[in-house]
Amino acid sequence: MKIVVLVKQVPDSGAERNLRPDDNTVDRSSANNVINEMDEYAIEEALRLQEAHGGEVTILTMGPERASESIRKALSMGPDGAVHVLDNALSGTDALGTSRVLAAALQRINPDVVLCGAESTDAGGQVLPHMLAERLGIAALTGARKLTVEGSQLTIERQTEEGYEVVTAATPAVVSVWDTINEPRYPSFKGIMAAKKKPVETLSLADLGVSAEQVGWTGALTGVASHSKRPPRSAGQKVADSGEGGVQLVEFLTNEKFV
Amino acid sequence: MEVRLILGLAITAAAFTLAGMRVLTLYKLGRAGQPVEPDRLRQAGKRLWAVVTEVLGQRKLLQWSVPGVAHFAVFWGFLILGATLLEGYGALFDRDFHIPLIGTQAWLGFLEDLFTVAVLAGLAAFAIIRLRSTPQRQGRSSRFFGSHTAAAWVVLLMIFNVMWTLLLYRGAQINTGNFPFERGAFASEIVAGWLAPLGRGVNDVLETVGVVGSLGVVLAFLVIVVNSKHLHIFLAPFNVAFSRRPRGLGELLPVYSGGKPVNFEDPGEDDKIGRGAIEDFTWKGMLDFATCTECGRCQSQCPAWNTGKPLSPKLLIMSLRDHALAKGPYLLADSEEERAKLPRNVLAEAGRPLVGLPEAGGVIDPDVLWSCVTCGACVEQCPVDIEHVDHIVDMRRYQVLIESSFPPEAQTMLRNLERAGDPWGRGAKARLEWMSGLGFEVRVLGEERIPDDVEYLLWVGCAGSLDDNAKKTTRALAQLLDEAGVSFMVLGGEERCTGDPARRLGQELLFQELAQRNVEVLNTVGAKKIVVTCAHCFNSLANEYPQVGGVYEVVHHTQLLSMLVAQGRLVPARPVDATVTYHDPCYLGRHNRIFSPPREILGSVPGLTFNEMPRNKETSFCCGAGGARMWMEESIGTRINETRTDEALGTGADVVAAACPYCIVMLTDGVASRKSQGKAADHVQVVDVSQLLLQSVREEANPAG
């Protein structure tokens, strides 16, 4: 089974993040750049599939030079190799453009399963898996909290706000996962050392046959018009118990879908 | 006489052959381990002194008075009675033998008899101790739980046999006129009085039987010793000599492979990372295992064992020893063919994972390995200087770095350290929050060097900047330094975790990254004097950073504050009406021997009543947070922090003082849970020593906050 995991480098969601005033993009210069957390779950799921069914796991990343740190980090968990799409013209690419580039790269690799995180912690659009499936003409199984494989049949439990749906599709397919699906492994020292020697193929837009006009600032069909700081957190709602405090709490929790 | 000589020499030859073969096997097995860290072979003077104080002086044994004195008697008995062994062998050749020059002097005879009696008294004490604290009756709380108690009784019996046969032949010698001493040997003379009525002929026989019998017993004992847990008789002096000096506490050693530190940036192909198999231990590790005499002093002190967890330092060392011996033939086999021919049980032993679940045949259960708080109580107690904590961390290193196998809760802490530089994952910016509203400006270092007018760099630490309770300590210290006119500065967002929790968990790679980064920052800004409130930061900065090129004068805030009080720069004038007890943080006290400064501070506060807990200073009982246990669930047995909290509450304390943010977190939790159970008064609080001092130094009754 040939598996590709999409990995995105994002600014650490734990630290304070800012948008640049000049072009409304995420300020990555001051941020601590890490693997998008949800993608680690996708890597773990890919490795588990590999352990159960054999085959090869490849990391696919589109991003600037410094994304190679995240690629090595991803490889230290155990994948066999990586493809890094690196081109200066990619700066400013939106989700549509990204899907165009990644689809072109995926066509070269021709995998059975494409795994990715259900969303990135920076843009949080959740649209890329669907766009990719559309461009490649294959099924999209999104938002999985469980994935099982029987032969060429993929079955997921698709996490929804009320519960889950069981969705199946034949390979090839795109599967996006939530952080409920597994517990990612901690890279071992051996893994870190091995990752340094694993092959990373660097591809340019020309290699993929994508023209620079279709991507980057020029090719972007969407853009951030303006942005403002999140308002400071408002004080919470206090429930004073005058007999029906418990009911109020339960109502709050169910209304907010915590339970 | 010929019978005596032939028999005596024959049993000697037999015993030495048997014992020699065993010793050779043990030696080879020890050499199957890795080479030691080179420091162990340096500082001969210090090592000799350790042997003098700990072996000849029995320093650590005498910390426990009754068994200590009994062991002192037996140990010195063995040395002194070496003279009787010489006399015994002499008597094989010459019935009237005496040691040349001094051999007939009364004092020697007296000394020999004195120690014969002393050994017998020691044996009686040991027997009573063993009977009173037998595991059958006391269960887990017996320090002999899990020890080979039958073998221990055999040893006591054999020593007893040595003593009575000695007295028998010495008494008979007096009656046959072949005794070297005319006066002094008082015990032998009493026995002679008992034997005299039997007549000359019987005494002649008794003398020969006694001499040969006594040597026979000694030789049998020799064979038993080299085949039993009693090897410490011969190994303890070596184990003490090659152990870490001044003690196996404080800093952890870097990861060594083949006697050289591993370079984590470019490790060698065959470098061994930690201990993944018994032969990965160094020969000193093997020596540790073989030297353990199962006395259980470590077990009696261990916070994990005493709260119902499966870890006992003694049982851990015993398991490793038993496994090493059982795997021995496999390790010593010359070739793969020879290995294939080994008995099935040896091959099964060789196939056991060093750390693994019982189902997988693991030698050490993961629950045992991860229960350790690295408090060092075991190392502190061990009379033969076994380095339990080092072995545990070395096994953890393999589990984390090679197997990626450790309690999953700890992964959050490691990820936070990697991403944000602190265990809570709050990031650099949050490190400045603690100082708001102090009433004076705390100087934060920009990109320049520390200016000349700044005396101390205040290393705030992750807890000190991010944990609400620990922030109060940091604020109290800052206010006290300001009050005393001590100039200080902080690194602010440039500080990162020292790496202590990562290192204690076994994540040495992450520790090295954090430590190297911190040292680079500290060296760039020209840090010289550092004051720190966290005992763990203190230990890393003072003891471990020199390993990565960071050498500073590091003081704990209790040291600095007690000095400022002594100099009159801080005057605790306002009475604090409270009963206070003090909890020694392991990494401040036992690991770094800072016992007095916090007590001096408390002693300087007027109105304060100070009550010591039963377990204090060297024998302090851990709060449960060390060894990265702060970041793991405690699901087995009872809770360590609650055990310690009960001890603190037992002193009648209104205020439980400590000097480490980890301890304060754990004891605060403990007190809160006891309050909710109605077992602690509502006014009881847990604070840092500095907060009490601030309360007394400041005019108004406004606690630090």
Side-chain angles (χ1 to χ4, degrees), chain B residues 578-602:
Chain B
T579 304
V580 179
T581 191
Y582 172 70
H583 164 80
D584 284 281
C586 303
Y587 276 88
L588 189 66
R590 209 158 24 231
H591 282 276
N592 283 295
R593 313 322 258 194
I594 299 171
F595 299 118
S596 319
R599 290 180 169 79
E600 283 160 16
I601 294 172
L602 294 174

Side-chain angles (χ1 to χ4, degrees), chain B residues 346-600:
Chain B
V346 174
L347 291 174
E349 191 71 30
R352 294 175 71 189
L354 187 66
V355 175
L357 292 168
E359 303 90 276
V363 178
I364 304 294
D365 190 294
D367 280 338
V368 168
L369 189 66
W370 297 107
S371 285
C372 179
V373 289
T374 70
C375 74
C378 47
V379 179
E380 179 74 33
Q381 282 297 326
C382 183
V384 295
D385 286 344
I386 292 170
E387 294 160 358
H388 315 76
V389 172
D390 290 6
H391 297 319
I392 287 173
V393 172
D394 275 335
M395 286 189 279
R396 286 183 175 184
R397 284 168 168 171
Y398 184 87
Q399 291 304 308
V400 172
L401 294 171
I402 304 299
E403 298 288 333
S404 284
S405 168
F406 54 92
E409 320 90 85
Q411 219 184 100
T412 314
M413 178 269 287
L414 292 178
R415 280 168 185 275
N416 285 339
L417 288 185
E418 284 168 20
R419 284 171 172 239
D422 65 74
W424 286 276
R426 296 280 311 282
K429 288 213 171 86
R431 287 182 181 270
L432 298 163
E433 287 169 6
W434 67 270
M435 57 184 76
S436 70
L438 266 181
F440 59 91
E441 186 93 9
V442 174
R443 293 165 77 177
V444 182
L445 199 74
E447 276 168 28
E448 76 277 26
R449 287 172 66 85
I450 297 176
D452 289 340
D453 66 319
V454 170
E455 192 179 357
Y456 284 97
L457 179 75
L458 168 56
W459 183 271
V460 186
C462 304
S465 351
L466 307 168
D467 174 81
D468 281 343
N469 267 323
K471 276 198 262 188
K472 290 181 195 163
T473 307
T474 313
R475 291 168 67 87
L477 175 63
Q479 284 165 296
L480 287 164
L481 293 180
D482 184 57
E483 173 86 24
V486 176
S487 55
F488 69 95
M489 224 174 187
V490 298
L491 285 179
E494 281 303 303
E495 226 184 76
R496 295 284 182 279
C497 172
T498 57
D500 164 87
R503 190 171 225 198
R504 263 75 204 164
L505 189 79
Q507 218 316 11
E508 182 71 6
L509 182 61
L510 183 54
F511 168 79
Q512 293 287 338
E513 283 169 11
L514 288 164
Q516 277 163 14
R517 190 206 166 275
N518 282 328
V519 165
E520 199 183 308
V521 170
L522 289 168
N523 288 348
T524 309
V525 303
K528 289 190 187 68
K529 289 162 92 172
I530 300 176
V531 58
V532 57
T533 60
C534 173
H536 298 262
C537 294
F538 175 83
N539 186 61
S540 296
L541 288 165
N543 301 328
E544 298 188 329
Y545 278 22
Q547 294 169 3
V548 282
V551 183
Y552 319 103
E553 186 189 329
V554 186
V555 294
H556 190 251
H557 72 296
T558 56
Q559 291 176 298
L560 179 57
L561 292 177
S562 80
M563 189 184 82
L564 293 172
V565 171
Q567 289 173 347
R569 292 168 73 182
L570 286 173
V571 184
R574 214 178 130 254
V576 173
D577 180 24
T579 304
V580 179
T581 191
Y582 172 70
H583 164 80
D584 284 281
C586 303
Y587 276 88
L588 189 66
R590 209 158 24 231
H591 282 276
N592 283 295
R593 313 322 258 194
I594 299 171
F595 299 118
S596 319
R599 290 180 169 79
E600 283 160 16

